[in-house]
Amino acid sequence: MKQTLDYANKVILAPMVRVGTLPMRLLALSFGADIVYSEEIIDWKLLKSERRVNDVLKTVDYVDKTDGTIIFRTCEKEKGKVVLQLGTANAERALQVGLKLQGDIAALDVNMGCPKDFSIKGGMGVALLYDLERAKGILKTLVDNLNIPVTCKIRIMPELEDTIRTVQELESTGIAAIAVHGRTKIERPRHPVHPDVIREVAKVAKIPVIANGGSQEMNKRSDILKFRDACGASSVMVARAAQWNCSIFRAEGQLPIEEIIDRYLRLAIEYDNPPSNTKYCVQMILRDLQESEKGRKFLDSQTLEQICDVFSLGQYCRAKQLEYHNAGIQGRRQAAPQRDDNEQDENCPSKKAKVENNGIGEEVIQHNISFIRVNYNDAIYFQFQM
């Protein structure tokens, strides 16, 4: 049976690379977001991943088997509200991903708006708007074969007529909604957004239109709704304003930065979020405050414990990590990567080998390990690079 997701009159956390991971999505929901999008994840990454139920964290993890990296993590708290945004240029790969993840997500969104060179050179993102038949083929394949809603996120074209035509063509595939970022391929956040173009699109579209791109004018929830209304859209999607202060979704007004960081870090600890991703998200919240004394101390931190020490959560972090360790959690440090060439048995990643030592064959055990930068000093790291 085909599942549905109501896209009308919703306030949504937009997909943001390195920001839209589980802790930030849960934080947005706690402040009043109705739907949350993951960061864009490339199809190949998800196809290489393995689905694992994490009994310690009570999450579902999609894990890169080669190095233990968590590609996508979700939990019951966001069930029915999390949309995975997919980076793809191939209908077959996109469908494989959709079939693999549709039991764990509320909907699948295809990124057709990213203007970065990486996406464009791979035929993904905004490149799909200039290869409309391919774009339609991807969406139609997903719509026809998945039991969850399919959407896409686009940018406007230089000419209004082209934008409207593109939306109508994409709409014809049967997608459930379309998000429209009100800037063109070459425009960046410093350029004015074009709500008038989104408004014209919303007039002709037969599916919900989600307005995006108004963060520069948003300081409170009422500003979010004001932008939606200016665009004549069904719903509105917030990126940078939520990245800076996720409590912008609160009807009661924004909370101080210190409280946002505290709440975010507690979620990062509870869901064992990677320190590099946690640090990046806190940097986005701090912004200019990175130049303060506390900010500089934070920038010197590398581990999750060190980050939490700066914000008086070190003891809580260590206690939670010890709890998880005793419960048998398998983090990247414990991950035994598997070879893609299937040389190793999945349940036995180690193997025996012979090495010659002065003509005498000695048996050693070879075992794959995850390379985690902070585990090695500069001298060892330099040797690895030689």
Side-chain angles (χ1 to χ4, degrees):
M1 182 178 176
K2 201 86 167 179
Q3 299 176 31
T4 60
L5 182 62
D6 184 7
Y7 283 95
N9 196 31
K10 295 296 185 292
V11 177
I12 302 168
L13 179 71
M16 291 178 282
V17 174
R18 298 181 68 187
V19 174
T21 46
L22 182 59
M24 191 64 76
R25 299 197 304 267
L26 293 178
L27 190 63
L29 288 172
S30 74
F31 285 137
D34 300 303
I35 298 172
V36 289
Y37 278 56
S38 75
E39 61 177 337
E40 178 196 22
I41 307 178
I42 305 304
D43 52 14
W44 283 114
K45 281 190 173 183
L46 289 162
L47 290 177
K48 287 170 53 182
S49 70
E50 177 180 80
R51 183 184 188 275
R52 300 177 187 171
V53 175
N54 190 321
D55 292 326
V56 177
L57 299 179
K58 303 295 187 284
T59 60
V60 173
D61 300 342
Y62 286 82
V63 183
D64 186 332
K65 293 183 291 185
T66 64
D67 66 0
T69 300
I70 303 297
I71 305 300
F72 176 67
R73 170 171 281 165
T74 185
C75 69
E76 187 67 25
K77 290 181 180 179
E78 63 175 3
K79 190 171 181 62
K81 298 178 180 179
V82 61
V83 178
L84 185 136
Q85 190 182 63
L86 183 66
T88 188
N90 181 278
E92 182 180 345
R93 288 201 302 269
L95 179 58
Q96 289 181 52
V97 171
L99 291 171
K100 185 174 184 176
L101 276 87
Q102 65 179 350
D104 296 314
I105 56 178
L108 184 67
D109 181 81
V110 178
N111 184 349
M112 298 186 179
C114 181
K116 301 293 186 181
D117 285 345
F118 169 79
S119 287
I120 293 174
K121 288 176 181 177
M124 302 179 293
V126 76
L128 287 171
L129 298 184
Y130 296 86
D131 190 353
L132 206 48
E133 290 307 309
R134 182 193 294 266
K136 289 168 61 179
I138 293 171
L139 294 176
K140 189 77 168 72
T141 299
L142 293 173
V143 169
D144 289 349
N145 293 282
L146 297 183
N147 61 19
I148 56 173
V150 176
T151 63
C152 67
K153 183 172 183 288
I154 70 168
R155 281 181 170 247
I156 63 173
M157 312 290 275
E159 300 296 331
L160 174 60
E161 295 77 10
D162 291 334
T163 303
I164 291 176
R165 179 180 61 84
T166 299
V167 169
Q168 290 175 325
E169 290 278 355
L170 297 174
E171 183 183 56
S172 71
T173 64
I175 55 176
I178 187 166
V180 182
H181 182 106
R183 293 184 179 85
T184 66
K185 173 183 174 181
I186 63 171
E187 291 177 328
R188 295 296 178 265
R190 66 180 180 275
H191 296 111
V193 68
H194 303 284
D196 54 318
V197 177
I198 303 177
R199 186 166 58 247
E200 293 303 314
V201 168
K203 287 179 182 179
V204 300
K206 296 181 178 63
I207 57 175
V209 171
I210 305 167
N212 178 230
S215 281
Q216 296 289 5
E217 289 77 41
M218 293 177 184
N219 294 299
K220 51 188 180 299
R221 185 182 176 93
S222 60
D223 294 333
I224 299 175
L225 303 180
K226 182 179 178 181
F227 177 70
R228 178 200 64 190
D229 294 342
C231 296
S234 301
S235 294
V236 61
M237 180 178 278
V238 186
R240 291 160 65 84
Q243 171 183 284
W244 298 328
N245 189 325
C246 200
S247 67
I248 194 168
F249 293 113
R250 285 181 85 238
E252 303 83 357
Q254 289 195 32
L255 295 172
I257 290 298
E258 294 78 12
E259 185 168 348
I260 300 302
I261 293 175
D262 182 89
R263 292 196 186 195
Y264 171 77
L265 284 177
R266 287 179 184 276
L267 288 167
I269 294 166
E270 289 167 17
Y271 288 96
D272 194 33
N273 202 52
S276 59
N277 179 254
T278 301
K279 184 175 181 178
Y280 179 82
C281 290
V282 174
Q283 283 181 273
M284 296 302 100
I285 298 170
L286 282 173
R287 301 173 73 192
D288 294 343
L289 293 177
Q290 292 177 73
E291 297 304 317
S292 66
E293 182 178 351
K294 179 180 282 191
R296 288 192 295 270
K297 184 178 180 182
F298 158 74
L299 291 176
D300 288 336
S301 63
Q302 294 190 63
T303 66
L304 189 58
E305 300 97 306
Q306 290 169 348
I307 295 170
C308 291
D309 278 334
V310 175
F311 298 99
S312 304
L313 286 171
Q315 185 174 350
Y316 176 65
C317 178
R318 281 182 281 274
K320 185 62 71 171
Q321 289 187 331
L322 179 60
E323 174 190 331
Y324 289 161
H325 173 76
N326 291 337
I329 195 170
Q330 289 288 305
R332 280 198 69 199
R333 286 175 172 80
Q334 293 80 37
Q338 299 165 23
R339 297 269 300 264
D340 281 337
D341 56 12
N342 295 317
E343 280 186 17
Q344 299 181 40
D345 181 83
E346 182 174 332
N347 298 313
C348 186
S350 301
K351 64 178 181 179
K352 294 182 179 180
K354 292 279 189 179
V355 295
E356 293 295 325
N357 183 12
N358 295 324
I360 301 174
E362 295 183 352
E363 191 174 83
V364 297
I365 298 295
Q366 293 182 344
H367 187 79
N368 291 340
I369 62 170
S370 300
F371 176 74
I372 304 174
R373 174 69 182 87
V374 297
N375 286 358
Y376 301 92
N377 62 36
D378 290 339
I380 295 176
Y381 179 68
F382 178 75
Q383 291 174 11
F384 280 175
Q385 301 302 304
M386 294 298 287

